[in-house]
């Protein structure tokens, strides 16, 4: 069954059709939300919120205009992620301190052999830098770097110009360059390994 | 960095977002400019570090997520069901009826503004009829007193109080007149007569014995009290 037919059925309230759309898109939305929040529970909440919102406004989704469901759903997912983080900002800050302490103490038990101390340091620095970025810069960076979307696609998702996406991406990467400088150039991180 | 314009291009180039021509131009520049060459090498290292530190996305509890979504979506349809208790045509009919009734009410006030309000409306606090009744109730004792004036009665203190009361009533009179000016000519005429009487009382002087008599005549000649009685009974 093609996507348009599934969407049409979902618009009519067909439960199975909605489940099919969920199966098709769940990983994409969850990974986006996880990369944004760095918390699996929050990412699950965002995934649920995004699908419920999408279902409730599905009647406004126009198949005839050649619109694709996935970018539309992603847009909802992005908005939910931004809203979720805004709502839980204070809680998140407290949790982050606790999580960081837990990560530090439980790190030796990490089963991944590639996780060296330097890599951990870099990852922490990346997370810290990501949290210092503005909401839009963060989402643009995640969409470009981790979700592998082009700047043109991101512009379409976020309903802004490609130039604006490029500028925000440049600022985000520049921030990464500044914050990682110490770790990369001071040989704390063995570059040959990367 | 001096070559500011290449800084952004280096990032876009590493993301594969520069066109062939722009990419070639950037590479030529990097070969010639040691500063940009260093920046290019460093940015490449940052990209590698970012790639290396990519976290594995954990597996979500998909079953639980779907249950929540299903319940959330179902909740909405229940709400929708409850909202439309009657057939939709009934809501359309009710809306039409409401528009018609509102139109009739607005039309009545727009096209027949001079029509007198009913007794029920006269009792509604805040309506013009109610205000008028209250005003007449306040005005009547003053006018009755002057209508029955005899020169022996008026003392200095009484005149002073009358003047104060008359000034207050005068303000109310002016306001009421402006409200009914375009809608009720009979009432306007009465309020004009009252206006003259109240102005005379306001300007009374304690030694003046003639003006109260003139006021008495004015009230009687213009039948002010009689007209007020009639208007109050309509």
């Amino acid at each position: 069954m093609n996507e348009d037919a599934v969407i049409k059925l979902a618009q009519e309230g067909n439960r199975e059709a909605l489940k099919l759309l969920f199966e098709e898109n769940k990983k994409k939305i969850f990974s986006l939300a996880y990369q944004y929040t760095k918390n699996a529970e929050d990412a699950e909440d965002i995934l649920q919120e995004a699908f419920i919102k999408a279902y409730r406004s599905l009647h406004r989704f126009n198949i005839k205009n050649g619109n694709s469901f996935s970018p539309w759903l992603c847009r909802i997912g992005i908005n939910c992620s931004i809203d979720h983080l805004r709502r839980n900002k204070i809680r998140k800050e407290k949790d982050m301190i606790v999580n960081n302490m837990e990560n530090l103490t439980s790190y030796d038990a990490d089963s991944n052999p590639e996780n060296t101390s330097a890599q951990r340091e870099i990852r922490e620095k990346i997370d810290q830098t990501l949290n210092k970025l503005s909401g839009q810069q963060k989402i643009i960076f995640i969409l470009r770097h981790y979700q592998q979307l082009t700047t043109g696609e991101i512009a379409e998702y976020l309903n802004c110009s490609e130039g604006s996406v490029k500028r925000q991406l440049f600022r985000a990467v520049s921030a990464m360059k500044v914050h990682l400088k110490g770790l990369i150039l001071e040989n704390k991180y063995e570059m040959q390994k990367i | 960095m001096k070559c500011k314009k290449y800084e952004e291009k280096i990032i876009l180039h590493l993301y594969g977002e520069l066109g062939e021509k722009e990419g070639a131009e950037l590479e030529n520049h990097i070969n010639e400019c040691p500063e940009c060459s260093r920046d290019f090498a460093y940015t490449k290292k940052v990209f590698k570090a970012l790639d290396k530190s990519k976290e594995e996305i954990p597996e979500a509890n998909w079953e639980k997520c779907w249950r929540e979504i299903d319940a959330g979506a179902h909740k909405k349809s229940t709400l929708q069901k409850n909202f439309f208790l009657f057939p939709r045509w009934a809501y359309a009919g009710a809306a039409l009826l409401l528009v018609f009734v509102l139109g009739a009410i607005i039309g009545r006030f727009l096209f027949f503004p001079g029509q007198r309000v009913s007794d029920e409306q006269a009792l509604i606090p805040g309506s013009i009829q109610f205000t008028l009744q209250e005003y007449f109730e306040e005005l009547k004792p003053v006018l009755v007193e002057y209508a029955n004036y005899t020169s022996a009665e008026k003392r200095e203190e009484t005149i002073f109080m009358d003047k104060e009361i008359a000034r207050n009533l005068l303000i109310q009179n002016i306001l009421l007149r402006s409200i009914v000016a375009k809608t009720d000519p009979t009432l306007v005429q009465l309020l004009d007569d009252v206006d003259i009487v109240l102005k005379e009382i306001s300007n009374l002087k304690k030694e003046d014995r003639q003006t109260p008599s003139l006021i008495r005549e004015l009230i009687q000649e213009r039948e002010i009290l009689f007209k007020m009685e009639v208007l109050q009974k309509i």
Side-chain angles (χ1 to χ4, degrees), chain B residues 3 24-25 33 40 43-44 48 51-52 62 69 77 82 96 103 124 132 134 139 144 159-161 176 213:
Chain B
C3 313
E25 191 208 329
C33 172
F40 181 65
T43 311
K44 253 166 91 177
K48 281 183 182 174
D51 290 342
K52 192 86 181 173
W62 304 119
I69 292 164
S77 61
N82 289 343
L96 266 175
I124 301 167
L132 203 61
E134 279 195 322
L139 180 67
V144 168
I159 289 173
F160 178 76
M161 276 179 66
L176 276 167
S213 305

Side-chain angles (χ1 to χ4, degrees), chain A residues 25-36:
Chain A
N25 296 280
K26 63 183 184 186
K27 284 195 175 168
K28 199 171 187 178
I29 304 296
F30 178 78
S31 71
L32 171 71
Y34 180 78
Q35 274 151 353
Y36 198 78

Side-chain angles (χ1 to χ4, degrees), chain A residues 22-68:
Chain A
F22 170 74
E23 292 298 335
E24 286 288 315
N25 296 280
K26 63 183 184 186
K27 284 195 175 168
K28 199 171 187 178
I29 304 296
F30 178 78
S31 71
L32 171 71
Y34 180 78
Q35 274 151 353
Y36 198 78
T37 58
K38 299 279 172 197
N39 182 300
E41 270 180 42
D42 285 350
E44 281 184 2
D45 287 346
I46 291 166
L47 173 74
Q48 290 159 21
E49 199 184 325
F51 265 93
I52 292 170
K53 272 190 182 169
Y55 179 74
R56 284 180 183 172
S57 43
L58 203 57
H59 60 279
R60 275 183 267 157
F61 181 77
N62 197 350
I63 311 166
K64 283 175 192 165
N65 285 359
N67 294 330
S68 187

Side-chain angles (χ1 to χ4, degrees), chain B residues 108-159:
Chain B
R108 187 178 180 280
F109 281 103
L110 273 178
F111 299 110
F112 307 102
Q115 281 197 354
R116 218 163 269 291
V117 285
S118 66
D119 288 349
E120 292 81 24
Q121 278 172 305
L123 297 173
I124 301 167
S127 73
I128 181 70
Q129 199 67 10
F130 185 80
T131 318
L132 203 61
Q133 296 274 14
E134 279 195 322
Y135 173 64
F136 283 168
E137 288 301 319
E138 274 185 73
L139 180 67
K140 215 184 212 169
V142 181
L143 296 185
V144 168
E145 205 182 322
Y146 279 87
N148 300 321
Y149 171 78
T150 54
S151 55
E153 279 172 23
K154 285 284 168 194
R155 286 179 311 188
E156 273 182 35
E157 308 85 64
T158 330
I159 289 173

Side-chain angles (χ1 to χ4, degrees), chain A residues 15 18-19 22 26-27 30-31 34-35 38 40 44 47-48 51-52 55-56 114 119 123 126 141 144-146 148 150-151 162 166-167 169-170 173 176-177 180-181 184-185 189 191 193-194, chain B residues 4 7-12 15-17 39 42-43 45-66 68-77 79:
Chain A
R15 192 172 163 269
L18 181 67
K19 179 141 200 210
F22 170 74
K26 63 183 184 186
K27 284 195 175 168
F30 178 78
S31 71
Y34 180 78
Q35 274 151 353
K38 299 279 172 197
E44 281 184 2
L47 173 74
Q48 290 159 21
F51 265 93
I52 292 170
Y55 179 74
R56 284 180 183 172
E114 280 188 77
Q119 274 177 331
R123 188 179 289 177
I126 290 166
F141 179 79
R144 176 60 266 207
H145 205 90
Y146 296 123
Q148 315 278 323
T150 65
T151 48
E162 198 178 338
K166 283 179 179 171
R167 272 194 301 279
L169 180 68
F170 169 66
V173 178
M176 287 290 172
K177 280 165 72 177
L180 295 176
K181 204 161 200 165
I184 291 176
L185 294 184
Y189 189 53
M191 293 312 297
K193 281 184 184 173
I194 4 175
Chain B
K4 198 80 188 163
E7 213 179 331
E8 188 176 336
K9 284 188 176 178
I10 284 173
I11 292 167
L12 292 175
Y15 277 126
E17 295 236 8
D39 183 55
Y42 173 63
T43 311
K45 285 177 183 174
V46 170
F47 267 57
K48 281 183 182 174
L50 285 168
D51 290 342
K52 192 86 181 173
S53 66
K54 264 184 198 171
E55 262 183 278
E56 254 186 54
I57 307 295
E59 224 19 52
N61 186 343
W62 304 119
E63 263 311 301
K64 185 189 143 225
C65 286
W66 168 246
E68 295 284 336
I69 292 164
D70 198 26
H74 178 69
K75 204 173 163 186
K76 194 245 175 180
S77 61
L79 271 174

